[in-house]
mmCIF file with all atom_site columns, all heavy atoms in Angstrom:
data_model
loop_
_atom_site.group_PDB
_atom_site.id
_atom_site.type_symbol
_atom_site.label_atom_id
_atom_site.label_alt_id
_atom_site.label_comp_id
_atom_site.label_asym_id
_atom_site.label_entity_id
_atom_site.label_seq_id
_atom_site.pdbx_PDB_ins_code
_atom_site.Cartn_x
_atom_site.Cartn_y
_atom_site.Cartn_z
_atom_site.occupancy
_atom_site.B_iso_or_equiv
_atom_site.pdbx_formal_charge
_atom_site.auth_seq_id
_atom_site.auth_comp_id
_atom_site.auth_asym_id
_atom_site.auth_atom_id
_atom_site.pdbx_PDB_model_num
ATOM 1   N N   . GLY A 1 406 ? 185.573 38.636 3.735   1.00 96.00 ? 1513 GLY A N   1
ATOM 2   C CA  . GLY A 1 406 ? 185.096 37.251 3.352   1.00 96.00 ? 1513 GLY A CA  1
ATOM 3   C C   . GLY A 1 406 ? 186.141 36.514 2.553   1.00 96.00 ? 1513 GLY A C   1
ATOM 4   O O   . GLY A 1 406 ? 186.977 37.097 1.874   1.00 96.00 ? 1513 GLY A O   1
ATOM 5   N N   . PRO A 1 407 ? 186.067 35.198 2.666   1.00 95.00 ? 1514 PRO A N   1
ATOM 6   C CA  . PRO A 1 407 ? 187.133 34.390 1.943   1.00 95.00 ? 1514 PRO A CA  1
ATOM 7   C C   . PRO A 1 407 ? 187.172 34.583 0.465   1.00 95.00 ? 1514 PRO A C   1
ATOM 8   O O   . PRO A 1 407 ? 188.260 34.556 -0.155  1.00 95.00 ? 1514 PRO A O   1
ATOM 9   C CB  . PRO A 1 407 ? 186.798 32.955 2.367   1.00 95.00 ? 1514 PRO A CB  1
ATOM 10  C CG  . PRO A 1 407 ? 185.425 32.999 2.815   1.00 95.00 ? 1514 PRO A CG  1
ATOM 11  C CD  . PRO A 1 407 ? 185.159 34.370 3.412   1.00 95.00 ? 1514 PRO A CD  1
ATOM 12  N N   . HIS A 1 408 ? 186.025 34.769 -0.175  1.00 94.00 ? 1515 HIS A N   1
ATOM 13  C CA  . HIS A 1 408 ? 186.011 34.903 -1.612  1.00 94.00 ? 1515 HIS A CA  1
ATOM 14  C C   . HIS A 1 408 ? 186.731 36.122 -2.116  1.00 94.00 ? 1515 HIS A C   1
ATOM 15  O O   . HIS A 1 408 ? 187.646 36.024 -2.888  1.00 94.00 ? 1515 HIS A O   1
ATOM 16  C CB  . HIS A 1 408 ? 184.528 34.917 -2.143  1.00 94.00 ? 1515 HIS A CB  1
ATOM 17  C CG  . HIS A 1 408 ? 184.417 35.069 -3.608  1.00 94.00 ? 1515 HIS A CG  1
ATOM 18  N ND1 . HIS A 1 408 ? 184.141 34.045 -4.425  1.00 94.00 ? 1515 HIS A ND1 1
ATOM 19  C CD2 . HIS A 1 408 ? 184.494 36.177 -4.407  1.00 94.00 ? 1515 HIS A CD2 1
ATOM 20  C CE1 . HIS A 1 408 ? 184.100 34.469 -5.705  1.00 94.00 ? 1515 HIS A CE1 1
ATOM 21  N NE2 . HIS A 1 408 ? 184.329 35.756 -5.754  1.00 94.00 ? 1515 HIS A NE2 1
ATOM 22  N N   . ILE A 1 409 ? 186.327 37.319 -1.533  1.00 95.00 ? 1516 ILE A N   1
ATOM 23  C CA  . ILE A 1 409 ? 187.007 38.512 -2.022  1.00 95.00 ? 1516 ILE A CA  1
ATOM 24  C C   . ILE A 1 409 ? 188.460 38.576 -1.561  1.00 95.00 ? 1516 ILE A C   1
ATOM 25  O O   . ILE A 1 409 ? 189.352 38.981 -2.373  1.00 95.00 ? 1516 ILE A O   1
ATOM 26  C CB  . ILE A 1 409 ? 186.230 39.746 -1.495  1.00 95.00 ? 1516 ILE A CB  1
ATOM 27  C CG1 . ILE A 1 409 ? 184.928 39.885 -2.296  1.00 95.00 ? 1516 ILE A CG1 1
ATOM 28  C CG2 . ILE A 1 409 ? 187.074 41.026 -1.584  1.00 95.00 ? 1516 ILE A CG2 1
ATOM 29  C CD1 . ILE A 1 409 ? 184.092 41.105 -1.918  1.00 95.00 ? 1516 ILE A CD1 1
ATOM 30  N N   . THR A 1 410 ? 188.779 38.129 -0.406  1.00 96.00 ? 1517 THR A N   1
ATOM 31  C CA  . THR A 1 410 ? 190.135 38.097 0.120   1.00 96.00 ? 1517 THR A CA  1
ATOM 32  C C   . THR A 1 410 ? 191.054 37.304 -0.817  1.00 96.00 ? 1517 THR A C   1
ATOM 33  O O   . THR A 1 410 ? 192.108 37.719 -1.232  1.00 96.00 ? 1517 THR A O   1
ATOM 34  C CB  . THR A 1 410 ? 190.239 37.525 1.502   1.00 96.00 ? 1517 THR A CB  1
ATOM 35  O OG1 . THR A 1 410 ? 189.441 38.408 2.404   1.00 96.00 ? 1517 THR A OG1 1
ATOM 36  C CG2 . THR A 1 410 ? 191.667 37.509 2.009   1.00 96.00 ? 1517 THR A CG2 1
ATOM 37  N N   . ARG A 1 411 ? 190.568 36.099 -1.153  1.00 94.00 ? 1518 ARG A N   1
ATOM 38  C CA  . ARG A 1 411 ? 191.332 35.167 -2.010  1.00 94.00 ? 1518 ARG A CA  1
ATOM 39  C C   . ARG A 1 411 ? 191.523 35.748 -3.398  1.00 94.00 ? 1518 ARG A C   1
ATOM 40  O O   . ARG A 1 411 ? 192.657 35.736 -3.922  1.00 94.00 ? 1518 ARG A O   1
ATOM 41  C CB  . ARG A 1 411 ? 190.621 33.811 -2.051  1.00 94.00 ? 1518 ARG A CB  1
ATOM 42  C CG  . ARG A 1 411 ? 191.355 32.749 -2.931  1.00 94.00 ? 1518 ARG A CG  1
ATOM 43  C CD  . ARG A 1 411 ? 190.635 31.453 -2.932  1.00 94.00 ? 1518 ARG A CD  1
ATOM 44  N NE  . ARG A 1 411 ? 189.253 31.526 -3.391  1.00 94.00 ? 1518 ARG A NE  1
ATOM 45  C CZ  . ARG A 1 411 ? 188.173 31.442 -2.625  1.00 94.00 ? 1518 ARG A CZ  1
ATOM 46  N NH1 . ARG A 1 411 ? 188.248 31.337 -1.331  1.00 94.00 ? 1518 ARG A NH1 1
ATOM 47  N NH2 . ARG A 1 411 ? 186.977 31.506 -3.225  1.00 94.00 ? 1518 ARG A NH2 1
ATOM 48  N N   . GLN A 1 412 ? 190.467 36.237 -4.011  1.00 93.00 ? 1519 GLN A N   1
ATOM 49  C CA  . GLN A 1 412 ? 190.521 36.726 -5.363  1.00 93.00 ? 1519 GLN A CA  1
ATOM 50  C C   . GLN A 1 412 ? 191.338 38.017 -5.453  1.00 93.00 ? 1519 GLN A C   1
ATOM 51  O O   . GLN A 1 412 ? 192.125 38.254 -6.420  1.00 93.00 ? 1519 GLN A O   1
ATOM 52  C CB  . GLN A 1 412 ? 189.104 36.980 -5.935  1.00 93.00 ? 1519 GLN A CB  1
ATOM 53  C CG  . GLN A 1 412 ? 188.272 35.721 -6.044  1.00 93.00 ? 1519 GLN A CG  1
ATOM 54  C CD  . GLN A 1 412 ? 188.866 34.729 -7.082  1.00 93.00 ? 1519 GLN A CD  1
ATOM 55  O OE1 . GLN A 1 412 ? 189.731 35.068 -7.860  1.00 93.00 ? 1519 GLN A OE1 1
ATOM 56  N NE2 . GLN A 1 412 ? 188.328 33.556 -7.110  1.00 93.00 ? 1519 GLN A NE2 1
ATOM 57  N N   . PHE A 1 413 ? 191.194 38.885 -4.446  1.00 95.00 ? 1520 PHE A N   1
ATOM 58  C CA  . PHE A 1 413 ? 191.988 40.136 -4.478  1.00 95.00 ? 1520 PHE A CA  1
ATOM 59  C C   . PHE A 1 413 ? 193.455 39.882 -4.342  1.00 95.00 ? 1520 PHE A C   1
ATOM 60  O O   . PHE A 1 413 ? 194.272 40.412 -5.104  1.00 95.00 ? 1520 PHE A O   1
ATOM 61  C CB  . PHE A 1 413 ? 191.514 41.024 -3.252  1.00 95.00 ? 1520 PHE A CB  1
ATOM 62  C CG  . PHE A 1 413 ? 192.145 42.355 -3.200  1.00 95.00 ? 1520 PHE A CG  1
ATOM 63  C CD1 . PHE A 1 413 ? 191.647 43.446 -3.946  1.00 95.00 ? 1520 PHE A CD1 1
ATOM 64  C CD2 . PHE A 1 413 ? 193.308 42.535 -2.414  1.00 95.00 ? 1520 PHE A CD2 1
ATOM 65  C CE1 . PHE A 1 413 ? 192.318 44.711 -3.842  1.00 95.00 ? 1520 PHE A CE1 1
ATOM 66  C CE2 . PHE A 1 413 ? 193.933 43.751 -2.352  1.00 95.00 ? 1520 PHE A CE2 1
ATOM 67  C CZ  . PHE A 1 413 ? 193.459 44.864 -3.074  1.00 95.00 ? 1520 PHE A CZ  1
ATOM 68  N N   . LEU A 1 414 ? 193.811 39.070 -3.372  1.00 96.00 ? 1521 LEU A N   1
ATOM 69  C CA  . LEU A 1 414 ? 195.257 38.766 -3.152  1.00 96.00 ? 1521 LEU A CA  1
ATOM 70  C C   . LEU A 1 414 ? 195.848 38.026 -4.363  1.00 96.00 ? 1521 LEU A C   1
ATOM 71  O O   . LEU A 1 414 ? 196.999 38.316 -4.776  1.00 96.00 ? 1521 LEU A O   1
ATOM 72  C CB  . LEU A 1 414 ? 195.432 37.892 -1.878  1.00 96.00 ? 1521 LEU A CB  1
ATOM 73  C CG  . LEU A 1 414 ? 195.200 38.660 -0.586  1.00 96.00 ? 1521 LEU A CG  1
ATOM 74  C CD1 . LEU A 1 414 ? 195.239 37.667 0.584   1.00 96.00 ? 1521 LEU A CD1 1
ATOM 75  C CD2 . LEU A 1 414 ? 196.182 39.729 -0.345  1.00 96.00 ? 1521 LEU A CD2 1
ATOM 76  N N   . LYS A 1 415 ? 195.073 37.148 -4.972  1.00 94.00 ? 1522 LYS A N   1
ATOM 77  C CA  . LYS A 1 415 ? 195.514 36.421 -6.158  1.00 94.00 ? 1522 LYS A CA  1
ATOM 78  C C   . LYS A 1 415 ? 195.830 37.441 -7.266  1.00 94.00 ? 1522 LYS A C   1
ATOM 79  O O   . LYS A 1 415 ? 196.864 37.347 -7.955  1.00 94.00 ? 1522 LYS A O   1
ATOM 80  C CB  . LYS A 1 415 ? 194.492 35.436 -6.620  1.00 94.00 ? 1522 LYS A CB  1
ATOM 81  C CG  . LYS A 1 415 ? 194.848 34.661 -7.865  1.00 94.00 ? 1522 LYS A CG  1
ATOM 82  C CD  . LYS A 1 415 ? 193.718 33.712 -8.293  1.00 94.00 ? 1522 LYS A CD  1
ATOM 83  C CE  . LYS A 1 415 ? 194.047 32.967 -9.563  1.00 94.00 ? 1522 LYS A CE  1
ATOM 84  N NZ  . LYS A 1 415 ? 192.932 32.121 -10.025 1.00 94.00 ? 1522 LYS A NZ  1
ATOM 85  N N   . ALA A 1 416 ? 194.936 38.353 -7.514  1.00 94.00 ? 1523 ALA A N   1
ATOM 86  C CA  . ALA A 1 416 ? 195.088 39.348 -8.566  1.00 94.00 ? 1523 ALA A CA  1
ATOM 87  C C   . ALA A 1 416 ? 196.256 40.242 -8.307  1.00 94.00 ? 1523 ALA A C   1
ATOM 88  O O   . ALA A 1 416 ? 197.039 40.591 -9.182  1.00 94.00 ? 1523 ALA A O   1
ATOM 89  C CB  . ALA A 1 416 ? 193.861 40.148 -8.728  1.00 94.00 ? 1523 ALA A CB  1
ATOM 90  N N   . LYS A 1 417 ? 196.449 40.697 -7.047  1.00 96.00 ? 1524 LYS A N   1
ATOM 91  C CA  . LYS A 1 417 ? 197.551 41.628 -6.735  1.00 96.00 ? 1524 LYS A CA  1
ATOM 92  C C   . LYS A 1 417 ? 198.910 40.953 -6.741  1.00 96.00 ? 1524 LYS A C   1
ATOM 93  O O   . LYS A 1 417 ? 199.913 41.541 -7.130  1.00 96.00 ? 1524 LYS A O   1
ATOM 94  C CB  . LYS A 1 417 ? 197.262 42.197 -5.363  1.00 96.00 ? 1524 LYS A CB  1
ATOM 95  C CG  . LYS A 1 417 ? 196.095 43.182 -5.339  1.00 96.00 ? 1524 LYS A CG  1
ATOM 96  C CD  . LYS A 1 417 ? 196.289 44.294 -6.383  1.00 96.00 ? 1524 LYS A CD  1
ATOM 97  C CE  . LYS A 1 417 ? 195.035 45.030 -6.766  1.00 96.00 ? 1524 LYS A CE  1
ATOM 98  N NZ  . LYS A 1 417 ? 195.242 46.066 -7.803  1.00 96.00 ? 1524 LYS A NZ  1
ATOM 99  N N   . ARG A 1 418 ? 198.967 39.673 -6.422  1.00 96.00 ? 1525 ARG A N   1
ATOM 100 C CA  . ARG A 1 418 ? 200.224 38.932 -6.491  1.00 96.00 ? 1525 ARG A CA  1
ATOM 101 C C   . ARG A 1 418 ? 200.631 38.751 -7.985  1.00 96.00 ? 1525 ARG A C   1
ATOM 102 O O   . ARG A 1 418 ? 201.825 38.912 -8.320  1.00 96.00 ? 1525 ARG A O   1
ATOM 103 C CB  . ARG A 1 418 ? 200.161 37.580 -5.831  1.00 96.00 ? 1525 ARG A CB  1
ATOM 104 C CG  . ARG A 1 418 ? 200.271 37.659 -4.314  1.00 96.00 ? 1525 ARG A CG  1
ATOM 105 C CD  . ARG A 1 418 ? 200.654 36.346 -3.693  1.00 96.00 ? 1525 ARG A CD  1
ATOM 106 N NE  . ARG A 1 418 ? 200.920 36.489 -2.297  1.00 96.00 ? 1525 ARG A NE  1
ATOM 107 C CZ  . ARG A 1 418 ? 202.064 36.876 -1.731  1.00 96.00 ? 1525 ARG A CZ  1
ATOM 108 N NH1 . ARG A 1 418 ? 203.073 37.191 -2.580  1.00 96.00 ? 1525 ARG A NH1 1
ATOM 109 N NH2 . ARG A 1 418 ? 202.232 36.984 -0.435  1.00 96.00 ? 1525 ARG A NH2 1
ATOM 110 N N   . ALA A 1 419 ? 199.649 38.562 -8.865  1.00 95.00 ? 1526 ALA A N   1
ATOM 111 C CA  . ALA A 1 419 ? 199.919 38.414 -10.294 1.00 95.00 ? 1526 ALA A CA  1
ATOM 112 C C   . ALA A 1 419 ? 200.398 39.765 -10.853 1.00 95.00 ? 1526 ALA A C   1
ATOM 113 O O   . ALA A 1 419 ? 201.331 39.816 -11.683 1.00 95.00 ? 1526 ALA A O   1
ATOM 114 C CB  . ALA A 1 419 ? 198.652 37.964 -11.008 1.00 95.00 ? 1526 ALA A CB  1
ATOM 115 N N   . GLU A 1 420 ? 199.835 40.886 -10.405 1.00 95.00 ? 1527 GLU A N   1
ATOM 116 C CA  . GLU A 1 420 ? 200.208 42.205 -10.777 1.00 95.00 ? 1527 GLU A CA  1
ATOM 117 C C   . GLU A 1 420 ? 201.604 42.520 -10.348 1.00 95.00 ? 1527 GLU A C   1
ATOM 118 O O   . GLU A 1 420 ? 202.403 43.051 -11.161 1.00 95.00 ? 1527 GLU A O   1
ATOM 119 C CB  . GLU A 1 420 ? 199.211 43.195 -10.143 1.00 95.00 ? 1527 GLU A CB  1
ATOM 120 C CG  . GLU A 1 420 ? 199.302 44.608 -10.711 1.00 95.00 ? 1527 GLU A CG  1
ATOM 121 C CD  . GLU A 1 420 ? 198.201 45.525 -10.086 1.00 95.00 ? 1527 GLU A CD  1
ATOM 122 O OE1 . GLU A 1 420 ? 197.091 44.987 -9.766  1.00 95.00 ? 1527 GLU A OE1 1
ATOM 123 O OE2 . GLU A 1 420 ? 198.474 46.702 -9.959  1.00 95.00 ? 1527 GLU A OE2 1
ATOM 124 N N   . TRP A 1 421 ? 201.965 42.175 -9.143  1.00 97.00 ? 1528 TRP A N   1
ATOM 125 C CA  . TRP A 1 421 ? 203.322 42.373 -8.656  1.00 97.00 ? 1528 TRP A CA  1
ATOM 126 C C   . TRP A 1 421 ? 204.360 41.570 -9.383  1.00 97.00 ? 1528 TRP A C   1
ATOM 127 O O   . TRP A 1 421 ? 205.386 42.068 -9.716  1.00 97.00 ? 1528 TRP A O   1
ATOM 128 C CB  . TRP A 1 421 ? 203.360 42.061 -7.151  1.00 97.00 ? 1528 TRP A CB  1
ATOM 129 C CG  . TRP A 1 421 ? 204.754 42.217 -6.557  1.00 97.00 ? 1528 TRP A CG  1
ATOM 130 C CD1 . TRP A 1 421 ? 205.656 41.283 -6.230  1.00 97.00 ? 1528 TRP A CD1 1
ATOM 131 C CD2 . TRP A 1 421 ? 205.360 43.494 -6.244  1.00 97.00 ? 1528 TRP A CD2 1
ATOM 132 N NE1 . TRP A 1 421 ? 206.800 41.781 -5.675  1.00 97.00 ? 1528 TRP A NE1 1
ATOM 133 C CE2 . TRP A 1 421 ? 206.654 43.149 -5.702  1.00 97.00 ? 1528 TRP A CE2 1
ATOM 134 C CE3 . TRP A 1 421 ? 204.946 44.826 -6.320  1.00 97.00 ? 1528 TRP A CE3 1
ATOM 135 C CZ2 . TRP A 1 421 ? 207.519 44.186 -5.260  1.00 97.00 ? 1528 TRP A CZ2 1
ATOM 136 C CZ3 . TRP A 1 421 ? 205.835 45.770 -5.895  1.00 97.00 ? 1528 TRP A CZ3 1
ATOM 137 C CH2 . TRP A 1 421 ? 207.124 45.498 -5.396  1.00 97.00 ? 1528 TRP A CH2 1
ATOM 138 N N   . LYS A 1 422 ? 203.993 40.305 -9.719  1.00 96.00 ? 1529 LYS A N   1
ATOM 139 C CA  . LYS A 1 422 ? 204.887 39.433 -10.461 1.00 96.00 ? 1529 LYS A CA  1
ATOM 140 C C   . LYS A 1 422 ? 205.248 40.026 -11.837 1.00 96.00 ? 1529 LYS A C   1
ATOM 141 O O   . LYS A 1 422 ? 206.404 39.990 -12.300 1.00 96.00 ? 1529 LYS A O   1
ATOM 142 C CB  . LYS A 1 422 ? 204.280 38.047 -10.579 1.00 96.00 ? 1529 LYS A CB  1
ATOM 143 C CG  . LYS A 1 422 ? 205.185 36.991 -11.187 1.00 96.00 ? 1529 LYS A CG  1
ATOM 144 C CD  . LYS A 1 422 ? 204.519 35.649 -11.237 1.00 96.00 ? 1529 LYS A CD  1
ATOM 145 C CE  . LYS A 1 422 ? 205.446 34.608 -11.836 1.00 96.00 ? 1529 LYS A CE  1
ATOM 146 N NZ  . LYS A 1 422 ? 204.746 33.245 -11.876 1.00 96.00 ? 1529 LYS A NZ  1
ATOM 147 N N   . LYS A 1 423 ? 204.187 40.572 -12.458 1.00 96.00 ? 1530 LYS A N   1
ATOM 148 C CA  . LYS A 1 423 ? 204.478 41.223 -13.802 1.00 96.00 ? 1530 LYS A CA  1
ATOM 149 C C   . LYS A 1 423 ? 205.295 42.463 -13.687 1.00 96.00 ? 1530 LYS A C   1
ATOM 150 O O   . LYS A 1 423 ? 206.183 42.652 -14.450 1.00 96.00 ? 1530 LYS A O   1
ATOM 151 C CB  . LYS A 1 423 ? 203.125 41.597 -14.434 1.00 96.00 ? 1530 LYS A CB  1
ATOM 152 C CG  . LYS A 1 423 ? 202.291 40.393 -14.958 1.00 96.00 ? 1530 LYS A CG  1
ATOM 153 C CD  . LYS A 1 423 ? 201.006 40.909 -15.597 1.00 96.00 ? 1530 LYS A CD  1
ATOM 154 C CE  . LYS A 1 423 ? 200.134 39.763 -16.102 1.00 96.00 ? 1530 LYS A CE  1
ATOM 155 N NZ  . LYS A 1 423 ? 198.867 40.245 -16.687 1.00 96.00 ? 1530 LYS A NZ  1
ATOM 156 N N   . TYR A 1 424 ? 205.080 43.225 -12.661 1.00 96.00 ? 1531 TYR A N   1
ATOM 157 C CA  . TYR A 1 424 ? 205.852 44.459 -12.404 1.00 96.00 ? 1531 TYR A CA  1
ATOM 158 C C   . TYR A 1 424 ? 207.285 44.200 -12.197 1.00 96.00 ? 1531 TYR A C   1
ATOM 159 O O   . TYR A 1 424 ? 208.163 44.844 -12.783 1.00 96.00 ? 1531 TYR A O   1
ATOM 160 C CB  . TYR A 1 424 ? 205.192 45.187 -11.247 1.00 96.00 ? 1531 TYR A CB  1
ATOM 161 C CG  . TYR A 1 424 ? 205.970 46.380 -10.796 1.00 96.00 ? 1531 TYR A CG  1
ATOM 162 C CD1 . TYR A 1 424 ? 205.990 47.549 -11.565 1.00 96.00 ? 1531 TYR A CD1 1
ATOM 163 C CD2 . TYR A 1 424 ? 206.691 46.454 -9.587  1.00 96.00 ? 1531 TYR A CD2 1
ATOM 164 C CE1 . TYR A 1 424 ? 206.688 48.694 -11.224 1.00 96.00 ? 1531 TYR A CE1 1
ATOM 165 C CE2 . TYR A 1 424 ? 207.402 47.574 -9.205  1.00 96.00 ? 1531 TYR A CE2 1
ATOM 166 C CZ  . TYR A 1 424 ? 207.366 48.694 -10.010 1.00 96.00 ? 1531 TYR A CZ  1
ATOM 167 O OH  . TYR A 1 424 ? 208.097 49.831 -9.623  1.00 96.00 ? 1531 TYR A OH  1
ATOM 168 N N   . ILE A 1 425 ? 207.614 43.283 -11.266 1.00 96.00 ? 1532 ILE A N   1
ATOM 169 C CA  . ILE A 1 425 ? 209.026 43.060 -10.974 1.00 96.00 ? 1532 ILE A CA  1
ATOM 170 C C   . ILE A 1 425 ? 209.805 42.365 -12.104 1.00 96.00 ? 1532 ILE A C   1
ATOM 171 O O   . ILE A 1 425 ? 211.014 42.470 -12.196 1.00 96.00 ? 1532 ILE A O   1
ATOM 172 C CB  . ILE A 1 425 ? 209.179 42.293 -9.690  1.00 96.00 ? 1532 ILE A CB  1
ATOM 173 C CG1 . ILE A 1 425 ? 208.573 40.888 -9.790  1.00 96.00 ? 1532 ILE A CG1 1
ATOM 174 C CG2 . ILE A 1 425 ? 208.673 43.057 -8.448  1.00 96.00 ? 1532 ILE A CG2 1
ATOM 175 C CD1 . ILE A 1 425 ? 208.890 39.981 -8.562  1.00 96.00 ? 1532 ILE A CD1 1
ATOM 176 N N   . ALA A 1 426 ? 209.094 41.730 -12.995 1.00 95.00 ? 1533 ALA A N   1
ATOM 177 C CA  . ALA A 1 426 ? 209.736 41.051 -14.131 1.00 95.00 ? 1533 ALA A CA  1
ATOM 178 C C   . ALA A 1 426 ? 210.007 42.041 -15.317 1.00 95.00 ? 1533 ALA A C   1
ATOM 179 O O   . ALA A 1 426 ? 210.754 41.707 -16.191 1.00 95.00 ? 1533 ALA A O   1
ATOM 180 C CB  . ALA A 1 426 ? 208.841 39.910 -14.678 1.00 95.00 ? 1533 ALA A CB  1
ATOM 181 N N   . ASN A 1 427 ? 209.356 43.182 -15.250 1.00 94.00 ? 1534 ASN A N   1
ATOM 182 C CA  . ASN A 1 427 ? 209.480 44.173 -16.294 1.00 94.00 ? 1534 ASN A CA  1
ATOM 183 C C   . ASN A 1 427 ? 210.716 44.946 -16.179 1.00 94.00 ? 1534 ASN A C   1
ATOM 184 O O   . ASN A 1 427 ? 211.274 45.117 -15.019 1.00 94.00 ? 1534 ASN A O   1
ATOM 185 C CB  . ASN A 1 427 ? 208.288 45.102 -16.289 1.00 94.00 ? 1534 ASN A CB  1
ATOM 186 C CG  . ASN A 1 427 ? 207.919 45.595 -17.739 1.00 94.00 ? 1534 ASN A CG  1
ATOM 187 O OD1 . ASN A 1 427 ? 208.779 45.788 -18.527 1.00 94.00 ? 1534 ASN A OD1 1
ATOM 188 N ND2 . ASN A 1 427 ? 206.570 45.736 -17.945 1.00 94.00 ? 1534 ASN A ND2 1
ATOM 189 N N   . VAL A 1 428 ? 211.220 45.488 -17.253 1.00 94.00 ? 1535 VAL A N   1
ATOM 190 C CA  . VAL A 1 428 ? 212.375 46.429 -17.228 1.00 94.00 ? 1535 VAL A CA  1
ATOM 191 C C   . VAL A 1 428 ? 211.839 47.804 -17.402 1.00 94.00 ? 1535 VAL A C   1
ATOM 192 O O   . VAL A 1 428 ? 211.212 48.109 -18.425 1.00 94.00 ? 1535 VAL A O   1
ATOM 193 C CB  . VAL A 1 428 ? 213.403 46.046 -18.309 1.00 94.00 ? 1535 VAL A CB  1
ATOM 194 C CG1 . VAL A 1 428 ? 214.564 47.050 -18.339 1.00 94.00 ? 1535 VAL A CG1 1
ATOM 195 C CG2 . VAL A 1 428 ? 213.943 44.631 -18.151 1.00 94.00 ? 1535 VAL A CG2 1
#
Side-chain angles (χ1 to χ4, degrees):
H1515 179 100
I1516 287 182
T1517 300
R1518 180 177 61 253
Q1519 296 295 347
F1520 182 87
L1521 290 172
K1522 178 182 176 182
K1524 291 304 165 182
R1525 282 200 172 277
E1527 192 176 329
W1528 178 257
K1529 186 176 180 180
K1530 287 181 181 179
Y1531 173 71
I1532 60 172
N1534 212 323
V1535 178

